[in-house]
Amino acid sequence: MENKWEHAVARFEEVIRRQQRRIEDMAAEGDFVDYGALPELVIGVCGGDGIGPAITAAARRVLAYLLRDETAAGRVRFADIEGLTIENRAARGQAIPDDVLAALKRCHVILKGPTTTPRAGDPWPNIESANVAMRKELDLFANVRPVKVPAEGIDWLFFRENTEGAYAVGSLGVDVSDDLAVDFTVTTTGGTERIVRLAFETARRTGRTRVTAVTKANVIKTTDGKFLKIAARIAREYPEIRFDDWYIDIMTAKLVDAKRRRDFQIMVLPNLYGDILTDEAAEFQGGVGTAGSANIGKRYAMFEAIHGSAPRMVAEGRAQYADPSSMLRATVMLLEHIGRTGAAGLLERALDRCLYEEKKFTVTGRDTGATCERFADYVMETVDALSR
Ligand code: IPM
Ligand code: MG
């Protein structure tokens, strides 16, 4: 017993030391990279596993098509990165194998397919999620997730804190004894300031008028309390933007309230609440398969689907029928992030037309619908039609 307690206390100390180092690293980080100013921009592509390779290949083709002139002129280069599969991660016993991480760090931005996240009882060792590890390793602190349903007046932009909260040390909890398990959750001043500031700056830049913080500060008083206090302080620097705050439980309910939900614009929230609320939000738009996300840091950025690798679809032989819309929406965000706003707008319009207006090919996830490859062709044909 004594031994286990000592182990638990030592683990807690280690967690605190690591977070203290993070705080120091954050304080030393520079400003956002100006991608437009780089002589050669490197776009890393990793397919992941499950349906990942199929939907990523579709998005990569569309992206390469849109950037073909810049690639030919040497201003953009693609780097295909292998080895982020569950098989390789399990064999190496690492969330991201060292060589894969090194390859990722040689890129500026990354297009990443879903990766299987093991849990206890799986055939895989219970290693940390590759997504979570990448967000932490590359310090991708802002997970930006748009959800739009024009017919319902819904136009939401979520800013999910991506490196802290329950995820910061989600793989470092302790089984203190057979009867007691403890996890840790973390809020830092710097980590909260940067995500809240990005939310307000985006509101200002895009002409949005309201930012809502979502926490459970009435119960999780220390960490969520800190998040909310900092959000309220930063809000005072943006007097033209209305700030309010909601608790995650009632917020989850309000998203279903058709009369109230259209009033929300930007939401900023700790990691776990952001994870949950964005899946719910995406459901109004047509499901998680339709939603892309940007993981933004000062130095790197990674763009991905908001959903997982759907191993069941692969087991049933349906991977080629997976909907690449989430990865294509992520591609729009990538193009915007690297300052290629013309191409981003074009792809977004093409997707809207293919998905909501013409609907010549729909992807159903089954052989009743188009393959993701056919859908990508359709998107490129629509891009052409729109640019004529
Ligand atoms: C997401 C996913 C990931 C997360 C999983 C796959 C680890 O659900 O991007 O929302 O929990 O963040
Ligand atoms: Mg999620």
Side-chain angles (χ1 to χ4, degrees):
M1 190 61 173
E2 199 56 16
N3 231 339
K4 289 199 161 170
W5 278 52
E6 275 164 24
H7 169 71
V9 172
R11 176 62 72 84
F12 190 51
E13 185 176 342
E14 184 198 328
V15 164
I16 293 173
R17 282 188 197 286
R18 278 203 207 182
Q19 292 303 313
Q20 190 54 46
R21 275 200 297 278
R22 267 193 68 236
I23 290 174
E24 284 151 23
D25 291 348
M26 256 190 281
E29 79 193 348
D31 208 350
F32 286 99
V33 169
D34 178 1
Y35 295 108
L38 296 170
E40 187 200 50
L41 178 98
V42 183
I43 303 177
V45 181
C46 42
D49 48 59
I51 58 169
I55 60 176
T56 308
R60 187 200 187 287
R61 273 176 57 223
V62 174
L63 181 61
Y65 184 65
L66 285 161
L67 294 177
R68 60 193 183 282
D69 292 343
E70 294 209 68
T71 322
R75 287 193 298 275
V76 169
R77 179 163 62 81
F78 281 86
D80 292 295
I81 299 169
E82 307 292 326
L84 200 68
T85 59
I86 184 65
E87 292 79 8
N88 192 39
R89 289 181 284 130
R92 304 276 293 274
Q94 285 185 299
I96 305 178
D98 292 333
D99 54 332
V100 176
L101 185 60
L104 290 168
K105 287 187 171 170
R106 288 193 292 270
C107 306
H108 298 106
V109 295
I110 297 150
L111 183 67
K112 173 193 152 294
T115 46
T116 301
T117 298
R119 64 171 184 188
D122 278 359
W124 312 110
N126 196 8
I127 49 176
E128 184 179 38
S129 144
N131 303 38
V132 175
M134 201 181 296
R135 293 165 187 167
K136 289 198 273 192
E137 284 290 348
L138 305 182
D139 201 20
L140 308 173
F141 65 88
N143 196 323
V144 187
R145 301 183 159 185
V147 169
K148 266 192 221 165
V149 189
E152 307 255 336
I154 292 175
D155 185 2
W156 296 324
L157 196 53
F158 293 89
F159 284 78
R160 165 187 175 187
E161 201 295 318
N162 216 18
T163 48
E164 307 197 340
Y167 280 62
V169 277
S171 299
L172 285 178
V174 231
D175 280 307
V176 178
S177 71
D178 287 344
D179 299 314
L180 176 62
V182 177
D183 267 316
F184 304 104
T185 184
V186 172
T187 298
T188 68
T189 301
T192 309
E193 282 175 351
R194 62 185 185 175
I195 184 77
V196 173
R197 209 172 282 287
L198 190 63
F200 275 97
E201 285 296 322
T202 307
R204 188 172 265 177
R205 186 169 50 78
T206 60
R208 286 176 167 90
T209 53
R210 183 179 179 187
V211 172
T212 304
V214 184
T215 69
K216 189 74 189 180
N218 53 340
V219 175
I220 316 294
K221 293 185 190 291
T222 309
T223 44
D224 279 8
K226 185 177 179 69
F227 190 97
L228 181 55
K229 208 166 84 195
I230 291 172
R233 163 163 63 74
I234 290 183
R236 290 199 288 277
E237 296 172 28
Y238 300 83
E240 79 280 17
I241 294 163
R242 178 174 159 210
F243 171 73
D244 60 351
D245 86 277
W246 292 68
Y247 297 133
I248 181 64
D249 50 351
I250 188 65
M251 189 72 207
T252 309
K254 280 298 141 198
L255 288 198
V256 192
D257 179 343
K259 285 198 292 295
R260 301 292 300 281
R261 65 182 175 207
R262 63 181 64 189
D263 298 337
F264 295 107
Q265 298 180 20
I266 287 188
M267 277 148 283
V268 60
L269 62 182
N271 212 334
L272 181 59
Y273 309 141
D275 176 47
I276 298 167
L277 205 64
T278 54
D279 267 18
E280 185 198 10
E283 199 65 26
F284 298 113
Q285 174 182 277
V288 291
T290 64
S293 88
N295 296 260
I296 310 283
K298 299 238 165 125
R299 186 146 166 224
Y300 301 101
M302 178 266 279
F303 301 82
E304 61 179 347
I306 78 163
H307 56 77
S309 58
R312 191 175 308 150
M313 287 189 72
V314 180
E316 292 169 7
R318 296 189 282 119
Q320 73 273 32
Y321 297 104
D323 190 348
S325 300
S326 54
M327 291 301 294
L328 289 164
R329 293 284 175 194
T331 303
V332 172
M333 300 182 85
L334 185 154
L335 286 164
E336 255 163 34
H337 193 70
I338 59 173
R340 272 61 174 187
T341 44
L346 188 57
L347 178 56
E348 186 166 35
R349 281 202 306 286
L351 287 176
D352 286 347
R353 181 181 282 192
C354 296
L355 287 158
Y356 308 121
E357 294 159 29
E358 285 180 351
K359 294 190 194 172
K360 271 198 214 152
F361 293 93
T362 48
V363 196
T364 59
R366 306 182 174 274
D367 61 9
T368 51
T371 59
C372 60
E373 240 189 302
R374 183 67 197 93
F375 189 74
D377 289 338
Y378 174 38
V379 170
M380 287 186 282
E381 286 154 20
T382 308
V383 161
D384 281 346
L386 285 171
S387 30
R388 248 179 248 128

